[in-house]
Amino acid sequence: MKHYRPTTDSRRHMSGLDFRKIVTTSSPEKSLTSGFKRGVGRNNRGRITTRHKGGGHKRLYREIDFSYDKHDIPFTIKTIEYDPNRSGFIGLAVYQDGEKRYVLLHNDARVGDRYVVSENAPLVVGNRLPLGNISVGTLVYNVELKHQGGAKIARSGGNYVEVLAKDGSFVDLKMPSSEVRKVPANAWASIGEVSNKENRLVTIGKA
């Protein structure tokens, strides 16, 4: 965490993240970005229907791979980047066949790490495999709700889901809210917890 000098009343209690120690590049991969415009409280005719909503800095959208449909092909993390559209950090994954994709990183990810999406992947943090192949008590993120449905659960900074039990073709998961949910065992998940767990400690000071 980074704490600021108390030059003003609001600055006195302000704290933030030291991105220089985490992020390795400031320019995203151009082929994986696209234009992005928020609704800013307007309807299809451009009229304001929700007041006091909108503004803010322009955001370039990074296309994150939540489907993980390239199986049994290892990939290497080339960069760790900040994404203005989410609280966790993302990384540029370069697959062995040369394809590049953005992925949501786990908390201990470093540049040069190698991971794989496979049913027979070892139980190592960062690898991705079906919930039925993950041992009870493991923390996972980027969890699917159904087979090949794409990651839907535990995607914000510092979040994770715990594998509680296995019941036939289903797996019991303990959500961040402590709710227990039953998910098919053939749904996929990544081992670990989402990066940037200090995000919840950030204090922006006064409004």
Side-chain angles (χ1 to χ4, degrees), residues 189-203:
S190 302
I191 300 177
E193 57 182 290
V194 185
S195 55
N196 196 15
K197 64 181 180 181
E198 292 182 335
N199 178 66
R200 64 193 65 184
L201 303 177
V202 172
T203 305

Side-chain angles (χ1 to χ4, degrees), residues 67-119:
S67 61
Y68 291 93
D69 53 1
K70 288 180 73 72
H71 295 178
D72 302 310
I73 303 176
F75 62 87
T76 304
I77 303 299
K78 290 296 183 183
T79 60
I80 297 176
E81 302 180 21
Y82 167 76
D83 187 353
N85 304 298
R86 64 197 72 253
S87 53
F89 294 113
I90 61 174
L92 182 62
V94 180
Y95 284 83
Q96 213 167 38
D97 60 2
E99 185 177 353
K100 295 180 180 179
R101 293 187 181 186
Y102 272 130
V103 295
L104 192 62
L105 295 178
H106 65 85
N107 202 44
D108 299 319
R110 297 291 181 268
V111 173
D113 289 351
R114 286 172 62 86
Y115 305 112
V116 66
V117 180
S118 173
E119 291 188 6

Side-chain angles (χ1 to χ4, degrees), residues 11 14 25 38-39 53 65 67 75-76 84 99 112-113 125 128 130 141 161-162 184 202 205:
R11 198 72 157 172
M14 191 174 180
T25 181
R38 290 173 289 177
K53 182 179 179 181
D65 179 23
S67 61
F75 62 87
T76 304
E99 185 177 353
D113 289 351
V125 175
R128 186 172 178 84
Y141 71 102
V161 168
E162 183 182 354
V202 172

Side-chain angles (χ1 to χ4, degrees), residues 19-27 78-82 111:
F19 290 103
R20 293 184 180 181
K21 296 181 179 178
I22 306 168
V23 176
T24 61
T25 181
S26 58
S27 55
K78 290 296 183 183
T79 60
I80 297 176
E81 302 180 21
Y82 167 76
V111 173

